[in-house]
Amino acid sequence: MVTGAASGIGKEIARCFARAGAKLAVADLDGDGAHQVARELQREGAQALGVAMDVTSEAQVEAATDRVLQTFGRLDVLVSNAGIQIVAPLESLSFADWQRLLAVHLDGAFLTTRAALRPMYRQGGGSIIYMGSVHSKEASLFKAPYVTAKHGLIGLAKVVAKEGARHGVRAIVICPGFVRTALVDRQIPEQARALGISEEAVIREVMLKETVDGQFTTTADVAAVALFFASFASNALTGQSLVVSHGWGMQ
């Protein structure tokens, strides 16, 4: 089950997993978009189910997970990918926007994790992959709730790794750099206004400045890493996080 899978990174992960033979639940707040991606995967020969899911709604997460289990009989991998972005300086950031972003990233990760752990524990194993960010380890101007939430996902993954180990459940965080998705495209003019620079300068001097080659990370890059972690069967990597960023944030 991949959340936020109607577009961007989530959609590419769903396509990558389907090509590898997985049965896919495509979950998204945009239910029509989720069903459209599922139909595309079905036309390519995959078994896929589209489900509408607001990850901040306990009832919707539980109902969608139940439907996945009724359809496929088990849940082996959860990719907690749903996310939003809000760009604003701290002094003018509204509490409502702070709460909204943390609800999607952290409440959503918790609710989908809890719903997935129950069947994974019963069946004797599984893999939970969180979509972090370089901002799980670094900070940037005007992104306080996003940076806070992405750091929080690493903490959640570590707890899941410890609690899930005896049940055969692994947890990992993927930390991409800037990926040229609709989410990032919306940030470019927002950051240009906030910083008083051109959009081209945002790309060159903010988003890609710390990369080794001036290149965006691609959805395919992230999907390939997700597939590797989903199919890695031992606990050797559980609780870890991997930066996928063309050299930004080397560790």
Side-chain angles (χ1 to χ4, degrees), residues 39-73:
R39 286 192 293 270
E40 292 173 10
L41 297 177
Q42 290 165 1
R43 286 195 291 270
E44 295 171 5
Q47 295 186 56
L49 170 71
V51 291
M53 180 194 291
D54 176 353
V55 296
T56 70
S57 166
E58 182 177 14
Q60 286 195 32
V61 169
E62 294 291 337
T65 305
D66 285 345
R67 188 175 173 210
V68 172
L69 293 170
Q70 290 165 7
T71 301
F72 296 126

Side-chain angles (χ1 to χ4, degrees), residues 1-2 25-31 34-35 38 49-53 64 67-68:
M1 181 166 68
V2 184
V26 179
D28 203 281
L29 179 64
D30 176 5
H35 291 299
L49 170 71
V51 291
M53 180 194 291
R67 188 175 173 210
V68 172

Side-chain angles (χ1 to χ4, degrees), residues 86-155:
I86 296 170
V87 176
L90 269 168
E91 71 271 16
S92 60
L93 178 70
S94 72
F95 186 41
D97 279 345
W98 170 274
Q99 290 178 307
R100 183 163 63 95
L101 190 144
L102 264 64
V104 173
H105 287 270
L106 291 181
D107 295 353
F110 162 70
L111 289 171
T112 53
T113 295
R114 188 182 64 179
L117 284 178
R118 291 163 178 163
M120 287 180 179
Y121 283 3
R122 289 195 301 268
Q123 69 199 25
S127 178
I128 297 180
I129 299 170
Y130 298 99
M131 195 54 58
S133 166
V134 172
H135 288 110
S136 295
K137 299 168 181 287
E138 304 280 347
S140 289
L141 296 170
F142 313 132
K143 294 184 177 180
Y146 187 81
V147 171
T148 300
K150 292 302 188 182
H151 273 69
L153 290 177
I154 289 183

Side-chain angles (χ1 to χ4, degrees), residues 179-241:
V179 180
R180 198 69 188 265
T181 62
L183 191 71
V184 166
D185 282 341
R186 286 193 294 271
Q187 292 179 52
I188 295 171
E190 291 173 344
Q191 292 211 43
R193 288 191 297 271
L195 294 168
I197 60 178
S198 70
E199 294 185 13
E200 292 75 16
V202 169
I203 294 172
R204 183 179 63 254
E205 299 172 15
V206 177
M207 293 184 168
L208 303 180
K209 179 181 178 181
E210 300 299 329
T211 66
V212 298
D213 54 9
Q215 299 295 313
F216 282 99
T217 303
T218 68
T219 57
D221 294 332
V222 181
V225 174
L227 180 63
F228 169 74
F229 283 132
S231 57
F232 196 88
S234 85
N235 282 329
L237 298 175
T238 194
Q240 302 298 328
S241 55

